Amino acid sequence: MSDPYWNHNVHYHRVVLAAVPDGCRAALDVGCGDGLLARKLATKAASVTGVDRSPEMIRQARAQTHGNITFLEADYLDGATLPEGKYDFISAVAVVHHARFEDAVGALVRLLAPGGRLVIVGMAYNKSALDWVISGCGVLPSLLTRWLRGGKRGPAAMPVQDSAMHWGEARRAARSLLPGCHFRRRLLWRYTLAWDAPNAPDADTPAPDVRQEGGP
């Protein structure tokens, strides 16, 4: 599928798609925006639900979509909104920093089916000198990719917010809340986090290794 626009979040859609398990029945895209990622997920899952708190984003998503996708104007943090334990795959791209990290992760985990897979593309801010060096390394690749893709754009009226966590805090919180998860800081100012829910409360299920996916 050809992307109608490019930005740092869209750049990592390929990481999300590569992590969708075979035979995925129900997928959920949290903070779906105009539905771009949800439409891609629909090629890999039997059914896809996109959820966003923004009425305008849901309006845009519904205007462009048909088939096995449902879009809901709702807040995933509201436990009464979405069915718990239903989804085989959940994606959350540039979403969890809009809430307290522990609350966001807890809500996403509750929505996962046993053995389901959660993939987060998150944001954080620089604190250490090393953080600034790593971020600086992303400037040239970002400018080059932006030029090749016709500029950095996104859907109109997309809500934006800065992260309240720095990179080290995000990494530690992820590993504390989701033992065994794979956390990787990416070049274009994002991190990816992948975790598999256990098949039973006491199961020891390894997380998918999204590090094998190439690119920054």
Side-chain angles (χ1 to χ4, degrees):
M1 178 182 295
S2 177
D3 294 324
Y5 54 84
W6 177 89
N7 56 47
H8 297 140
N9 297 325
V10 174
H11 186 80
Y12 291 112
H13 281 183
R14 71 189 194 280
V15 178
V16 176
L17 295 171
V20 178
D22 293 337
C24 179
R25 297 163 298 175
L28 174 67
D29 184 34
V30 174
C32 64
D34 67 346
L36 179 59
L37 178 56
R39 291 190 289 275
K40 297 176 184 179
L41 288 171
T43 67
K44 289 179 165 285
S47 68
V48 177
T49 299
V51 61
D52 203 293
R53 293 183 298 183
S54 167
E56 174 58 21
M57 289 297 97
I58 292 300
R59 185 195 67 78
Q60 293 184 34
R62 288 172 175 166
Q64 303 177 63
T65 301
H66 56 83
N68 61 332
I69 314 176
T70 301
F71 288 106
L72 301 175
E73 180 190 335
D75 188 345
Y76 75 103
L77 295 169
D78 180 357
T81 300
L82 296 166
E84 294 188 2
K86 173 182 177 179
Y87 300 99
D88 303 310
F89 182 82
I90 297 178
S91 56
V93 177
V95 169
V96 298
H97 68 285
H98 286 260
R100 184 170 173 267
F101 188 81
E102 292 81 357
D103 295 339
V105 169
L108 293 170
V109 169
R110 285 193 297 272
L111 296 171
L112 271 180
R117 181 168 296 170
L118 170 64
V119 174
I120 293 171
V121 178
M123 303 167 60
Y125 70 84
N126 295 329
K127 181 181 180 182
S128 68
L130 180 59
D131 285 340
W132 285 102
V133 170
I134 295 173
S135 291
C137 291
V139 173
L140 184 58
S142 176
L143 292 174
L144 177 60
T145 308
R146 181 187 303 188
W147 177 73
L148 291 172
R149 299 298 299 272
K152 179 185 174 185
R153 306 189 312 279
M158 173 72 81
V160 296
Q161 181 174 318
D162 292 331
S163 175
M165 302 177 74
H166 60 70
W167 297 102
E169 288 174 328
R171 182 182 296 106
R172 289 191 295 271
R175 290 174 175 168
S176 174
L177 295 169
L178 301 170
C181 71
H182 286 299
F183 183 102
R184 176 178 173 181
R185 181 170 177 177
R186 299 278 178 168
L187 190 59
L188 300 187
W189 308 300
R190 298 292 185 270
Y191 65 80
T192 55
L193 186 164
W195 180 77
D196 276 359
N199 287 301
D202 59 349
D204 183 14
T205 305
D209 189 356
V210 298
R211 293 173 296 180
Q212 65 188 355
E213 198 280 332

